[in-house]
């Protein structure tokens, strides 16, 4: 950051974009703000996708019928080719698996907001400045919106089902004006990575010890997901 401040050039990357950003009064970010923004984007762009795929692989090892259906889609859509952007719209069931994995194990399980003014919600008053916790984990498992909420059912994700979901019921990427700016890319990335790995390898869960959610900033599998990776036959 200090080097960039000295040369003042636009290097065409994320750091330059953040360093040239200005508020309405012309103020620019301090080094501390820049560091926080860059680390937030790094965390959001790396760890959340890794956690999503870890949980997805784990769930598929527990549901061989879903994996078999996924493999049939990969064979039909990819026809032996490496998955790419043009395949994404056709990988419908693969996307449904990722959505269902994020429903059961949202990469971010809790977010917070602060009201700018007092808010009356039925008999409750939320004073301005208080911290409100909004939990994806809780909402994604609400039986009013998700039948058999604890079950892994990728087939539930039909266009009709998604359209009928009320706003802010399913929000793995957050919601509102501060929704994750990389949500579409993350969905594309996770789908193509899942397709690419399973096209070449079979993932076998390799432990009798159950995996448990570790609710840190992100929802990690504890103690990790031990697996054996077996190359599929040509």
């Amino acid at each position: 950051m200090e080097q960039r401040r000295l040369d003042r050039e636009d290097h065409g990357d994320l750091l330059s974009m953040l360093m040239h950003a200005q508020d309405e009064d012309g103020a620019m970010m301090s080094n501390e703000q820049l560091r926080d923004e860059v680390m937030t984007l790094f965390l959001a762009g790396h760890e959340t996708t890794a956690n999503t795929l870890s949980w997805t692989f784990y769930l598929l090892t527990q549901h061989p019928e879903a994996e078999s259906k996924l493999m049939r889609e990969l064979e039909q859509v990819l026809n032996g080719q490496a998955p790419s952007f043009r395949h994404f719209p056709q990988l419908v069931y693969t996307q449904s698996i990722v959505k269902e994995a994020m429903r059961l194990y949202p990469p971010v399980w809790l977010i917070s907001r602060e009201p700018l003014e007092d808010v009356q919600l039925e008999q409750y008053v939320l004073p301005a400045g208080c911290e409100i916790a909004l939990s994806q984990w809780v909402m994604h498992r609400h039986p009013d919106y998700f039948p058999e909420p604890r079950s892994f059912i990728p087939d539930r994700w039909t266009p009709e089902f998604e359209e009928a979901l009320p706003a802010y019921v399913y929000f793995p990427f957050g919601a509102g004006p501060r929704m994750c700016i990389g949500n579409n890319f993350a969905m594309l990335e996770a789908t193509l990575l899942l397709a690419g790995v399973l096209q070449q390898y079979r993932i076998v869960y390799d432990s009798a010890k159950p995996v448990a959610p570790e609710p840190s900033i992100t929802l990690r599998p504890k103690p990790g997901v031990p697996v054996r990776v077996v190359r599929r036959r040509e």
Side-chain angles (χ1 to χ4, degrees):
M1 287 186 288
E2 293 296 344
Q3 291 176 350
R4 293 290 178 90
R5 291 197 190 282
L6 289 174
D7 65 34
R8 298 188 178 183
E9 293 182 13
D10 185 350
H11 293 260
D13 56 19
L14 175 65
L15 183 57
S16 284
M17 182 182 73
L18 292 172
M19 294 187 76
H20 286 82
Q22 298 183 17
D23 289 336
E24 293 179 357
D25 60 0
M28 305 176 79
M29 294 189 200
S30 66
N31 280 1
E32 183 178 5
Q33 288 175 306
L34 286 168
R35 178 204 63 195
D36 291 348
E37 290 288 341
V38 169
M39 290 308 301
T40 297
L41 286 166
F42 179 80
L43 179 70
H46 168 261
E47 184 172 355
T48 50
T49 303
N51 285 342
T52 294
L53 288 170
S54 295
W55 286 117
T56 302
F57 289 132
Y58 171 72
L59 287 165
L60 287 173
T61 65
Q62 310 301 303
H63 298 84
E65 72 289 348
E67 182 183 7
S68 295
K69 186 173 181 178
L70 169 62
M71 292 309 301
R72 289 195 296 270
E73 178 176 85
L74 297 184
E75 291 172 7
Q76 180 181 359
V77 173
L78 301 179
N79 193 27
Q81 298 177 321
S84 65
F85 177 77
R86 64 187 179 87
H87 295 120
F88 179 74
Q90 299 171 274
L91 294 172
V92 177
Y93 188 68
T94 312
Q95 293 182 50
S96 295
I97 284 178
V98 174
K99 291 174 184 177
E100 183 71 346
M102 289 194 297
R103 183 187 71 81
L104 285 170
Y105 298 101
V108 176
W109 65 282
L110 184 76
I111 59 177
S112 63
R113 294 290 186 267
E114 295 181 6
L116 298 177
E117 56 187 35
D118 293 351
V119 178
Q120 181 84 36
L121 289 179
E122 297 185 353
Q123 71 269 35
Y124 302 100
V125 176
L126 306 177
C130 75
E131 186 170 357
I132 304 168
L134 309 168
S135 176
Q136 290 94 327
W137 175 274
V138 173
M139 290 306 303
H140 289 187
R141 292 167 178 252
H142 200 301
D144 286 355
Y145 308 109
F146 300 99
E148 299 182 59
R150 296 179 181 272
S151 298
F152 178 67
I153 310 175
D155 284 307
R156 75 171 82 237
W157 292 97
T158 63
E160 295 76 19
F161 174 78
E162 292 196 57
E163 290 175 7
L165 280 179
Y168 309 115
V169 167
Y170 179 74
F171 55 115
F173 298 106
R178 293 191 177 274
M179 177 185 286
C180 173
I181 62 173
N183 60 331
N184 291 324
F185 174 76
M187 190 65 199
L188 171 70
E189 178 185 33
T191 300
L192 296 184
L193 281 170
L194 178 62
V197 171
L198 292 186
Q199 183 187 44
Q200 300 292 330
Y201 302 98
R202 186 165 57 90
I203 307 298
V204 181
Y205 183 50
D206 198 26
S207 176
K209 187 175 181 180
V211 174
E214 182 179 14
S216 182
I217 296 176
T218 59
L219 192 67
R220 303 174 180 177
K222 184 180 180 179
V225 184
V227 299
R228 287 186 295 112
V229 181
V230 182
R231 182 177 290 278
R232 297 187 186 276
R233 294 181 179 179
E234 297 295 338

